[in-house]
Amino acid sequence: MFNDPSFVTRAPVTALHHIPVLSQPLLAGLAVRPGGWYLDATVGGGGHSEQILAAADVHLVAIDRDADALTAARARLGSDRVTYWHGNFADYEPPSGVKFAGAIADLGVNSSQLDRAERGFSFQQTAPLDMRLDLRQDLTAAEIVNHWDEKALADLIYQYGEERLSRRIARRIVSQRPFGTTTALAGAIAAAVPATYRHGRIHPATRSFQALRIAVNGELAALDRFLARAPDWLQAGGKLGIISFHSLEDRRVKYAFRDDDRLQVLTKKPLVAAETEQRANPRSRSAKLRLAERCA
C-alpha cells in the first residue's frame, strides 16, 4: 500500500511484549482456584493469562481480535491448558456446559500494538492510517478521515475523544485531506489548535486518535455487549475483572456492574496502580480496575 522507507516493517509476532497492569490486585480479586475455567477476553501478549496459569492448575480460554496477539500468546503460554479464540469478545460463546470461575478484560490497545508503527495506532512514527485490531475488517481510520463529512468527524472526535476543539480539528482535516499517514494527520490536528493547546500535557492529536481507534473498532458497543453477556458465563461466586484506561470505558463498567442484579460489586471505587508500578510502567497511570462477583 505504501512504499515510504520510513515505515517500520512488521515485527515478528513472537517478539510482542506485554507488561500486565494491575496484575496483583487483579489476581487477588480473582482468587484463582485449581480446576476452574478462566477467561481472558483480551489476552494481548499473554501477561495476565500467564499469571493466572501460574497461580493454579486451571484451564484458560484466551480471546483476542488481533491475530498477531494470539500468535504471541501461543508462543508465551503454550496450549496444554489454553484454548484460543480469534474474534471480538462480544461475540464469544463459551463451550457447552462451561461456567467460568473468573473472567478478565484489559481494554484498549496494549503497548505492543502501540509500539508497532505499521498498525497505525500511534503518531510517534510514520505509518498508514489503519488502527484495526482485527485486520479482517474493512473499515480503517483512513476511510473515516478521508470520507466522513465534517459534522460526523467533529461529533466522533467530541464523543469518543472528549475533545473540546473537535469542530476546529474536523474543519482542518476536511480542508487538507486526503491523509495517508499518522504523522501527517497528527500534524494537521496540531496546526488546527491554539499554540497554548499544543504545549499542554499531552499531544493535541492524542484525543482525536483515541476517537478514531474507538470508532474503527466499535470498541464501546463491543464493551456494552460484553458487559451484558459476561455475567451469564460465570458460575455462582465467579469473579469478573475489567481494566479500563479512559472515562468512557470506566463509566460503562461502573454502571453495568452497579445496575446488573446478577452481580455484586466488589470495588465501590476503582483500584489504581501503586506508585511503584506507575514508575515502572507509565501506561498503568491511567488504568482502573473494577471487580464484581456473580450472585448465586
Side-chain angles (χ1 to χ4, degrees):
M1 185 188 306
F2 293 90
N3 296 316
D4 188 333
S6 64
F7 288 164
V8 177
T9 56
R10 286 178 68 86
V13 293
T14 53
L16 296 181
H17 64 279
H18 179 215
I19 303 173
V21 301
L22 293 169
S23 58
Q24 291 184 357
L26 179 61
L27 264 289
L30 284 179
V32 179
R33 301 189 300 273
W37 280 70
Y38 288 82
L39 171 68
D40 188 341
T42 53
V43 68
H48 286 122
S49 286
E50 184 175 54
Q51 295 179 346
I52 292 171
L53 292 166
D57 184 10
V58 300
H59 192 91
L60 184 132
V61 175
I63 297 174
D64 211 283
R65 299 173 69 176
D66 185 344
D68 286 352
L70 281 181
T71 300
R74 280 191 180 95
R76 182 172 187 168
L77 305 174
S79 58
D80 290 346
R81 295 186 287 147
V82 184
T83 300
Y84 298 92
W85 193 82
H86 181 203
N88 189 327
F89 62 6
D91 300 325
Y92 175 68
E93 294 287 349
S96 178
V98 169
K99 291 287 186 180
F100 292 105
I104 65 170
D106 180 354
L107 305 176
V109 178
N110 67 50
S111 54
S112 299
Q113 291 163 323
L114 290 172
D115 291 344
R116 302 180 72 210
E118 77 276 6
R119 299 301 296 270
F121 291 112
S122 171
F123 45 79
Q124 299 302 316
Q125 300 181 72
T126 301
L129 278 168
D130 195 321
M131 300 193 191
R132 291 173 296 169
L133 290 169
D134 188 339
L135 296 179
R136 297 173 299 183
Q137 76 174 47
D138 294 327
L139 182 64
T140 66
E143 174 69 23
I144 294 174
V145 166
N146 292 322
H147 297 287
W148 286 25
D149 66 39
E150 184 177 321
K151 182 180 184 304
L153 275 175
D155 290 346
L156 181 154
I157 294 168
Y158 180 77
Q159 293 170 10
Y160 292 166
E162 300 181 293
E163 171 58 74
R164 63 184 180 85
L165 298 181
S166 60
R167 295 188 184 280
R168 293 179 62 154
I169 291 169
R171 190 178 309 122
R172 178 60 65 98
I173 290 173
V174 170
S175 70
Q176 293 190 354
R177 63 191 187 188
F179 292 94
T181 66
T182 53
T183 47
L185 177 61
I189 293 171
V193 302
T196 53
Y197 205 72
R198 291 197 293 272
H199 301 295
R201 184 176 58 87
I202 62 173
H203 190 284
T206 300
R207 295 185 182 91
S208 298
F209 268 62
Q210 172 186 294
L212 286 168
R213 191 203 77 222
I214 290 172
V216 166
N217 297 291
E219 292 178 28
L220 297 181
L223 175 58
D224 289 342
R225 181 165 161 77
F226 174 76
L227 290 169
R229 302 182 69 225
D232 286 334
W233 303 342
L234 299 173
Q235 64 187 41
K239 309 297 194 301
L240 177 58
I242 309 289
I243 298 173
S244 62
F245 289 88
H246 56 77
S247 59
L248 295 174
E249 294 171 338
D250 182 59
R251 281 197 296 269
R252 279 171 157 77
V253 177
K254 174 184 177 180
Y255 293 125
F257 281 7
R258 185 196 68 182
D259 298 338
D260 195 324
D261 58 11
R262 296 167 295 179
L263 297 174
Q264 178 183 350
V265 175
L266 301 178
T267 48
K268 291 187 177 180
K269 292 185 178 180
L271 304 179
V272 298
E275 187 176 338
T276 52
E277 181 177 1
Q278 292 186 34
R279 286 198 300 267
N281 181 12
R283 180 175 179 258
S284 69
R285 293 171 186 164
S286 59
K288 294 181 178 181
L289 168 63
R290 294 186 184 272
L291 290 156
E293 180 178 312
R294 180 67 158 94
C295 299

